[in-house]
Amino acid sequence: MTTVNTDNQEELVCSQQTREQWKRRERELSAWVDRDKQIRIPKQTVPLGHMDIIVDAELHGALTLLKQLQIPTEFSCAGVSILDDPENHSLYAYITLLASEQTDRFIQLALQQMKHRLLVTYEPARCRYDLSSFYIGHNRSFCMLMEYCARKLLFNP
């Protein structure tokens, strides 16, 4: 585990990426920042259950299953933008999960399934995990794999 300090908050990197993978990620980020960004499909959002919470349509399935697993989530998105606003969201698809025994089981399963494609950080001060796609442009597969892992845990406890 690697410790990183961001904005005076300690984060622990729980996933295993090599130095080469981090370099590739840095190159992808630089190339992405420099190129023109065209909106191919407008962002699609849907309500989560009967609540007034609007979520990214790409993550709806995973978030629904996580709720059934009683794994509380705080934030999530699957949009691609350098800005972090409600419609465009962030550069990488991500889900923020509150720490619990069930959350730990889900994270271990996701790390086994996704390996280096999954970036997992833990914020001890907030007792929460951030799970994100490690590479740019992998948002759809991240969403699909999060749903797959949640479904696998739900039906194979």
Side-chain angles (χ1 to χ4, degrees), residues 25 28 32 35 43 56-60 62 77-82 88-95 114 117 131-147:
R25 185 181 202 235
E28 287 179 353
W32 187 86
R35 76 173 176 253
K43 184 165 195 61
D56 193 300
E58 295 278 343
L59 276 172
H60 184 266
C77 79
V80 179
S81 171
I82 200 70
N88 293 322
H89 288 296
S90 74
L91 184 56
Y92 301 96
Y94 71 88
I95 298 176
M114 297 175 68
R117 294 172 292 173
L131 283 66
S132 64
S133 55
F134 186 73
Y135 297 117
I136 293 174
H138 292 235
N139 290 353
R140 182 168 285 126
S141 64
F142 171 83
C143 296
M144 290 170 33
L145 286 166
M146 286 287 100
E147 185 172 344

Side-chain angles (χ1 to χ4, degrees), residues 68-80:
Q68 289 176 22
L69 287 162
Q70 298 180 340
I71 297 175
T73 61
E74 276 193 354
F75 307 105
S76 64
C77 79
V80 179

Side-chain angles (χ1 to χ4, degrees), residues 63 66-67 69-75 95-100 102-103 128-129:
L63 295 171
L66 289 170
K67 186 176 178 184
L69 287 162
Q70 298 180 340
I71 297 175
T73 61
E74 276 193 354
F75 307 105
I95 298 176
T96 300
L97 306 173
L98 300 180
S100 72
Q102 186 75 326
T103 299
R128 70 184 197 183
Y129 291 92

